[in-house]
Amino acid sequence: MSKHKQILLTNVNQPDQHLIEHAIKRGAYERLQKALSLDPLKVIEEVKASQLRGRGGAGFPTGMKWGFVPRDSGKPVYLINNADESEPGTFKDRVLLERDPHLVIEGMLCAAWALQSEWSCIYVRGEYAFPYVRVQRAIEQAYEKGFLGDNVCGSGWKHHMVIHRGAGAYICGEETALLESLEGRKGQPRLKPPFPAVAGYYGCPTVINNVETLSNIPWIIDNGGEAYAAIGVENSTGTKLVSASGHLNTPGVFEVEMGYPLLEFIEQECGGVRDGNALMGVIPGGSSVNVLTAEECEGVRLDYDSLKNAGSSLGCAGFMVMDETTDPIEAVLSLSRFYSHESCGQCTPCREGAHWIEKIFARIARGEGQPGDLELIENLCDQIGGHTICAFGDTMILPYRSFVRKFRQQFRERITQVLKGGESTRNPIDFEIGMH
Amino acid sequence: MSEAQSQSEKPPMVTATIDGQEVTVPKGTNIIEAAKSVEVEIPFYCYHPHLSVPGNCRICQVEVEGAPKLMIGCHTQLTDGMVVKTHKTSELVQKTQASTMELLLINHPLDCTVCDQAGHCKLQDYHFEYNAKPSRFLEYKQNKPKAVPLGSTVMLDGERCIACTRCVRFCDEVTETGEIGLMNRGDRYLISVKEGKELENPLSGTVVDLCPVGALTHRDWRFNTRIWYANPTDSVCTGCSTGCNAKVFERDGQVVQVKARLNSAVNKEWLCDEGRYGFDRFLPRERVLTSSVKGEATSWEEALAKVTPLKNGKTLLLLAPDLTVEEYSLVEAFRERCLQEDSQAVVAYRSRELSRVEEILVSPDYAPNFQGAYFSQERLRPNGAVCESAHREEREQAYENALREVKENTFDNIVFVGDRAVCDQDLADMELLQAISRTPFTLGMLCDREGALYENCTVVLPARSILEKSGLFLNGKFRLQYVDRVVPLAEGAFQHWKIFGEIAASFGKPIVDARSDRDLTLSYLGAEPRVAGITIRQVKNGGIDLLTYVPAQEGESGESSNVEVSKSSE
């Protein structure tokens, strides 16, 4: 049992929490009743006061996002719950969807009330087959109990909810690509402006929030925005779900208060690095952030500002730990393979650059690196970053750049060792080009 | 009321700076178009002024002061006070363009030596202009399907494609047939027809024009010539009265390729397959190159001596709809001066049915210059209030009446001016052909030896095809354009106006004093008050809308500027 305040994971270990009768016994949907008694604008005020920031990775203030939605456009407002949790190293939303789906639905309903939206959708990634079944069943139960439908809880307010399964593309977690996918087209990000808050789903005002963000809303309504803002540290309020994986003794999903020291988190929550090995590095925010070496982790706390100052980012807290046995070249190759596979192929720099970089990493890893390769990679990163429609290109290059910079010695050795006629340690068959 | 007013008002203008030059454009103009107005060319692949903006090629990036990163010129609208730097002044933009070019080419097969697009390829042009460095790419390229037929007209080379999606957007947004799509992700992308579909629509060849690289090629014209051996001419299609602007490539007397030219007021940048692939259908295989009388070849002088019956009797001049405006006006002069008073001149006009996709571009006729005939005969200023369809009905009625009278044998003489003087469907009418052969005297100014008219004429004089002439054309919506000669002249054939001139001269009543098509056009523009002030350059560059054109008053610069044009181009 964690010593941290539990907002989201309170009930996830109850084996029957996904059944609505048991969830109601533990207080589910009570906060919804309270929200319905409040003015919608008051709900937005509370969320603004809580200083809740989006948990999907960008960390944009949720209340402010809701405030962008025009209230007099004459068009319906849509709420989309982004459950396309595809960032490598992230699996926190899955826990909520599987184990406490009613918390997610309640959070969505509270948000929908604040936005006066009559239709919402959960966009769940295609690979999440079991969470899909659980949430689908939970929605049906909520309809049966009158929490969803033409008359929500007898308030006269109408709200309908559907769940949509993606087809398994990473880019569909990007909000405009998600909208394209939801509208039945190929999942490719849109040009902005217009932003979804003004013209999103079928050209109507649309709010897209992460599962974890929305799951925080019931607690904020119950306890008030001030109480939420009191948790955590300045600029990073509340708690954060961390998906800890990699070379840890007890990996898993943990709820910690913002500002928790990073190394203490590894020791206290995750049982320390496996086999008592030394730490090589941590990717703290899901793969699309800069890697931190063991030295850089000293004194760093798990919150937006501290990680930013350390040169990385909290992202969506996909916390990946690598011990001293890790080969950084292979680690980054694995990431580059992911990105080149998932680049949507819309913009030239990302489409071509992602593959080029992957092929260079693969070449270095199998012992055919050339002098100048590292400089070429860094140069390509400059060519991709900032030159694409969406943030995929901007963030893809962060691990590449930081791995090459921070583990340059290992890269150099691999390149020169082979040039000297040394034998490559890799089995070349694993690294056939174009294996995807 | 206020809404209607605001619509009629001009859009508000914005003023900004591009590369230090001040530019004022209507609000909503994007940076590419704004830069064009001050002659700064921003490169682009995916952008097209008449398609939606996907912003995916990333070559049009420019620096905008105050923006955190480079902005794409196609999607960014110019706002007041904006300071834009293009590759001409910004090193960062230059670097980005060079990098985009490098990235576009890493998976490109670079098979320019066998590629039909070589020579008019934007990859070649932009690489030369914006990068021109050897590639640093040492890896294997992506392999993709090559020589894939997308339909009966278009062939795909998957490896050459740069995923600009212009072809996809054309089929989605213009024809709304949606046959093709961009499949797969990342660098495995591939243009492909959707399952169970083929790229079959009346405008399908347009996707090849839109393709900035050699990924899409015409199946008819693949590998037929290197483009630099062909002579390009800016002309206008004469298939129907839309008057689509086209660039025609000719080699050894053959049309080897036809591309659309951008003209927002007429055809945007589209061409129909019928007009494109059949551009040379007006150039018959078997040419009339000598005069003949009753099927016997004769000299020009002998044949000319045989046309004297025209002086007497009631004459019908059946005019092909593809004569030039100058020729129609000359025919009028001929009719007035050389023929009996009750003679008629009628242009061949039949309406046609169009499919939904054809309606986007094609006009419901086969008569490219029927308005030109009207313009010359009626001698009125074109009036926008006169409904276009009423015009069409009038033409068709006049033509049908004329044919009926032919069948009733009320004419003593019939002159067929051009091969299209009788519509194709009427040539199948045996009754009509018999009536023609019963007519005492028939004269044909023809170029097709295999046509039905050739056999039925008493005297045949060799005429040029429309592909061998130049002159003014008036499209269905009264836009005056210039049709230019695209193939070399056939020895022995003459323009219709020249034949009329010779006949009139032989009657002792000269009507024309011109030595070339250009002379005729210049003298027409100089003499006709309704087109006063228009220069050849203007009609060549997008044309002039005569519904709104206000002719220059006498003594104004009209004529002198024509002289200027003629000097400068000679």
Side-chain angles (χ1 to χ4, degrees):
Chain A
M1 188 64 200
S2 171
K3 61 173 183 161
H4 286 274
K5 180 138 197 76
Q6 299 283 290
I7 291 177
L8 304 164
L9 299 184
T10 330
N11 294 317
V12 293
N13 288 327
Q14 308 288 352
D16 51 6
Q17 178 67 12
H18 61 282
L19 300 171
I20 197 160
E21 296 81 9
H22 298 276
I24 287 172
K25 265 185 230 156
R26 299 189 187 103
Y29 296 107
E30 273 171 21
R31 283 83 47 102
L32 170 64
Q33 310 269 14
K34 186 175 174 191
L36 290 176
S37 68
L38 295 173
D39 184 76
L41 289 173
K42 171 81 179 135
V43 178
I44 296 185
E45 284 310 310
E46 286 298 330
V47 174
K48 278 185 180 162
S50 76
Q51 298 173 39
L52 172 65
R53 292 174 66 169
R55 303 295 197 229
F60 193 81
T62 306
M64 200 193 282
K65 197 184 224 180
W66 293 4
F68 288 150
V69 175
R71 303 207 144 246
D72 48 3
S73 66
K75 292 176 183 167
V77 176
Y78 295 119
L79 173 71
I80 314 282
N81 185 353
N82 186 347
D84 190 80
E85 182 175 47
S86 321
E87 185 70 25
T90 312
F91 38 89
K92 62 189 176 64
D93 295 342
R94 174 177 195 160
V95 173
L96 293 172
L97 295 166
E98 261 178 32
R99 308 255 184 116
D100 202 353
H102 292 289
L103 176 68
V104 179
I105 292 170
E106 189 182 9
M108 286 175 74
L109 279 165
C110 294
W113 170 251
L115 296 162
Q116 287 297 292
S117 162
E118 296 187 344
W119 188 88
S120 63
C121 171
I122 305 176
Y123 186 96
V124 63
R125 69 179 292 195
E127 293 89 336
Y128 276 7
F130 183 53
Y132 168 77
V133 173
R134 275 272 164 97
V135 177
Q136 175 69 54
R137 183 77 200 106
I139 290 175
E140 283 162 18
Q141 290 170 338
Y143 266 107
E144 283 162 21
K145 294 277 178 189
F147 297 120
L148 280 170
D150 289 337
N151 188 1
V152 176
C153 301
S155 68
W157 174 57
K158 181 171 91 174
H159 190 83
H160 290 277
M161 192 181 286
V162 298
I163 182 163
H164 180 92
R165 270 182 91 174
Y170 170 69
I171 196 63
C172 288
E174 201 277 345
E175 55 183 15
T176 53
L178 185 153
L179 291 174
E180 286 285 298
S181 165
L182 209 53
E183 288 180 15
R185 290 195 290 274
K186 192 174 173 184
Q188 288 187 330
R190 293 177 184 171
L191 285 173
K192 288 176 260 187
F195 289 91
V198 178
Y201 188 49
Y202 286 113
C204 298
T206 306
V207 168
I208 300 148
N209 282 138
N210 179 256
V211 175
E212 186 189 343
T213 315
L214 289 167
S215 303
N216 275 306
I217 306 298
W219 195 92
I220 292 171
I221 286 173
D222 200 17
N223 301 280
E226 297 289 334
Y228 191 86
I231 309 168
V233 294
E234 202 193 341
N235 269 339
S236 310
T237 58
T239 62
K240 180 80 193 83
L241 292 186
V242 181
S243 327
S245 64
H247 301 153
L248 295 165
N249 282 324
T250 55
V253 176
F254 304 93
E255 182 168 11
V256 296
E257 283 175 33
M258 288 283 195
Y260 192 43
L262 189 150
L263 290 176
E264 200 180 324
F265 172 73
I266 293 177
E267 290 308 319
Q268 299 295 318
E269 305 282 330
C270 309
V273 179
R274 71 168 182 193
D275 306 335
N277 286 345
L279 185 66
M280 181 191 85
V282 173
I283 304 178
S287 65
S288 310
V289 301
N290 287 323
V291 63
L292 293 176
T293 59
E295 301 81 61
E296 286 170 324
C297 292
E298 295 284 347
V300 173
R301 292 167 176 275
L302 288 172
D303 65 59
Y304 291 104
D305 287 350
S306 174
L307 276 163
K308 196 178 165 194
N309 293 337
S312 187
S313 168
L314 181 62
C316 56
F319 192 84
M320 290 184 279
V321 175
M322 292 170 284
D323 72 8
E324 57 188 346
T325 65
T326 314
D327 178 359
I329 301 165
E330 266 190 66
V332 74
L333 170 63
S334 171
L335 290 179
S336 69
R337 207 174 266 162
F338 172 82
Y339 286 113
S340 79
H341 186 245
E342 293 294 344
S343 167
C344 82
Q346 198 176 191
C347 311
T348 307
C350 167
R351 176 183 72 222
E352 305 291 348
H355 292 266
W356 191 353
I357 293 180
E358 180 213 348
K359 285 170 179 171
I360 300 172
F361 276 134
R363 196 152 49 73
I364 295 173
R366 68 171 183 269
E368 292 171 15
Q370 306 229 353
D373 274 351
L374 300 181
E375 290 71 22
L376 178 57
I377 289 170
E378 284 171 336
N379 187 253
L380 287 175
C381 289
D382 293 341
Q383 296 187 7
I384 299 167
H387 298 308
T388 53
I389 291 175
C390 76
F392 184 103
D394 302 345
T395 53
M396 161 178 77
I397 60 171
L398 297 176
Y400 299 167
R401 249 195 206 142
S402 54
F403 265 95
V404 169
R405 193 176 69 235
K406 294 175 183 176
F407 302 102
R408 210 171 187 90
Q409 195 50 39
Q410 283 96 317
F411 278 95
R412 282 242 175 85
E413 274 166 19
R414 182 69 60 87
I415 291 171
T416 48
Q417 159 205 343
V418 176
L419 280 179
K420 281 180 201 149
E423 243 176 76
S424 167
T425 51
R426 303 300 314 157
N427 176 0
I429 293 165
D430 292 351
F431 294 92
E432 273 300 320
I433 283 177
M435 54 190 294
H436 35 255
Chain B
M1 183 63 198
S2 65
E3 233 177 46
Q5 265 177 353
S6 68
Q7 273 176 4
S8 64
E9 272 169 26
K10 279 188 176 172
M13 306 295 274
V14 292
T15 304
T17 317
I18 297 177
D19 287 342
Q21 300 185 67
E22 193 163 283
V23 50
T24 304
V25 291
K27 200 177 173 195
T29 308
N30 66 28
I31 293 179
I32 289 182
E33 297 294 337
K36 219 181 262 175
S37 69
V38 287
E39 295 187 353
V40 173
E41 193 202 329
I42 296 176
F44 58 84
Y45 289 107
C46 64
Y47 168 71
H48 190 281
H50 296 289
L51 296 173
S52 66
V53 175
N56 61 27
C57 75
R58 315 308 287 184
I59 188 101
C60 67
Q61 291 182 92
V62 291
E63 205 176 323
V64 174
E65 221 172 80
K69 55 182 191 176
L70 297 185
M71 310 287 275
I72 46 174
C74 55
H75 184 247
T76 314
Q77 296 180 349
L78 210 67
T79 54
D80 255 324
M82 196 182 248
V83 178
V84 179
K85 285 181 176 177
T86 73
H87 55 277
K88 294 204 193 277
T89 48
S90 162
E91 210 173 301
L92 180 62
V93 174
Q94 285 169 10
K95 259 190 192 165
T96 306
Q97 281 169 347
S99 122
T100 309
M101 280 316 304
E102 180 182 36
L103 290 164
L104 277 170
L105 289 173
I106 61 170
N107 279 316
H108 189 82
L110 300 174
D111 55 348
C112 304
T113 44
V114 296
C115 177
D116 278 316
Q117 192 77 4
H120 52 160
C121 174
K122 275 188 153 190
L123 277 177
Q124 288 182 327
D125 295 350
Y126 287 171
H127 178 70
F128 187 74
E129 199 160 339
Y130 301 107
N131 187 17
K133 285 198 208 84
S135 177
R136 296 175 291 174
F137 188 70
L138 301 174
E139 331 299 326
Y140 289 104
K141 289 179 189 257
Q142 279 286 341
N143 289 123
K144 285 177 192 167
K146 295 175 87 77
V148 187
L150 294 185
S152 55
T153 56
V154 179
M155 190 74 94
L156 166 78
D157 185 313
E159 292 184 344
R160 293 179 191 155
C161 175
I162 58 164
C164 72
T165 69
R166 275 175 159 207
C167 52
V168 178
R169 281 175 285 139
F170 177 77
C171 290
D172 283 353
E173 296 164 12
V174 179
T175 65
E176 295 179 8
T177 43
E179 295 104 331
I180 46 181
L182 187 67
M183 312 299 165
N184 302 343
R185 271 198 321 233
D187 70 350
R188 285 92 61 208
Y189 68 89
L190 182 66
I191 291 286
S192 160
V193 287
K194 292 177 188 165
E195 209 173 300
K197 282 194 173 182
E198 276 191 47
L199 180 60
E200 295 294 348
N201 67 57
L203 308 184
S204 63
T206 302
V207 297
V208 181
D209 284 349
L210 292 175
C211 185
V213 301
L216 299 178
T217 45
H218 300 288
R219 289 181 75 179
D220 277 11
W221 293 327
R222 289 178 87 218
F223 307 129
N224 66 352
T225 184
R226 307 305 326 223
I227 203 73
W228 50 88
Y229 292 131
N231 305 309
T233 310
D234 287 352
S235 190
V236 168
C237 173
T238 58
C240 73
S241 67
T242 302
C244 297
N245 293 205
K247 190 188 262 310
V248 188
F249 293 85
E250 169 272 335
R251 185 181 181 183
D252 301 337
Q254 302 288 316
V255 173
V256 288
Q257 188 160 149
V258 179
K259 289 172 95 170
R261 280 188 295 137
L262 183 71
N263 186 339
S264 301
V266 182
N267 58 318
K268 299 195 170 85
E269 203 177 342
W270 328 142
L271 265 189
C272 69
D273 290 354
E274 193 184 340
R276 178 195 307 272
Y277 300 117
F279 205 93
D280 55 358
R281 67 191 181 282
F282 306 121
L283 197 66
R285 273 178 308 164
E286 292 294 324
R287 291 295 298 273
V288 180
L289 294 173
T290 53
S291 322
S292 64
V293 177
K294 291 178 181 152
E296 298 286 323
T298 59
S299 72
W300 173 258
E301 287 75 18
E302 277 174 64
L304 216 53
K306 297 282 187 210
V307 301
T308 41
L310 289 181
K311 284 179 179 169
N312 307 300
K314 188 179 174 185
T315 304
L316 170 66
L317 296 162
L318 267 177
L319 308 177
D322 63 350
L323 304 183
T324 64
V325 175
E326 304 90 300
E327 285 176 328
Y328 286 125
S329 108
L330 213 62
V331 168
E332 276 308 291
F334 179 80
R335 188 176 63 84
E336 278 170 11
R337 301 197 57 191
C338 304
L339 300 181
Q340 218 171 274
E341 235 173 66
D342 56 354
S343 302
Q344 293 178 22
V346 174
V347 66
Y349 183 96
R350 285 262 181 217
S351 58
R352 73 192 261 203
E353 296 284 315
L354 297 176
S355 67
R356 181 189 65 79
V357 177
E358 279 174 330
E359 272 174 10
I360 296 162
L361 188 66
V362 184
S363 296
D365 57 55
Y366 294 101
N369 203 13
F370 77 95
Q371 296 286 39
Y374 163 85
F375 186 75
S376 304
Q377 289 169 355
E378 302 294 328
R379 305 211 171 143
L380 298 167
R381 275 195 63 196
N383 181 354
V386 177
C387 174
E388 196 190 321
S389 62
H391 255 248
R392 294 177 181 279
E393 271 169 37
E394 226 172 76
R395 295 297 106 186
E396 189 158 22
Q397 201 60 48
Y399 174 66
E400 277 174 4
N401 288 345
L403 289 193
R404 198 174 52 244
E405 284 189 52
V406 169
K407 285 183 194 171
E408 290 162 3
N409 283 97
T410 55
F411 294 108
D412 302 310
N413 313 308
I414 304 177
V415 182
F416 299 101
V417 189
D419 294 274
R420 293 157 83 185
V422 178
C423 295
D424 284 353
Q425 62 197 96
D426 299 311
L427 286 175
D429 184 352
M430 287 315 288
E431 201 189 331
L432 180 73
L433 290 179
Q434 280 164 7
I436 290 171
S437 59
R438 278 200 307 274
T439 307
F441 178 75
T442 47
L443 167 64
M445 304 176 188
L446 308 172
C447 68
D448 186 5
R449 263 175 72 105
E450 291 172 324
L453 287 178
Y454 181 77
E455 292 159 13
N456 285 295
C457 285
T458 327
V459 176
V460 173
L461 297 174
R464 283 190 194 162
S465 146
I466 183 59
L467 271 64
E468 298 164 330
K469 296 198 291 188
S470 25
L472 300 168
F473 265 61
L474 203 50
N475 83 354
K477 296 189 166 28
F478 282 105
R479 177 168 286 267
L480 193 63
Q481 304 197 99
Y482 193 75
V483 170
D484 215 343
R485 177 164 62 83
V486 295
V487 294
L489 304 176
E491 200 79 17
F494 301 98
Q495 299 97 318
H496 296 93
W497 63 264
K498 203 160 220 168
I499 301 175
F500 274 110
E502 294 270 324
I503 295 174
S506 77
F507 289 1
K509 295 169 182 171
I511 50 168
V512 60
D513 176 30
R515 303 184 61 184
S516 65
D517 287 347
R518 190 179 179 82
D519 275 357
L520 184 71
T521 309
L522 286 174
S523 66
Y524 177 79
L525 287 174
E528 174 59 55
R530 290 172 295 169
V531 294
I534 296 178
T535 63
I536 291 191
R537 185 177 292 173
Q538 282 173 325
V539 285
K540 272 187 170 177
N541 279 338
I544 299 280
D545 186 358
L546 288 191
L547 292 179
T548 55
Y549 180 71
V550 182
Q553 295 300 312
E554 229 171 285
E556 272 184 34
S557 59
E559 208 169 317
S560 61
S561 61
N562 270 337
V563 173
E564 209 176 87
V565 169
S566 110
K567 268 184 198 159
S568 65
S569 55
E570 275 161 24

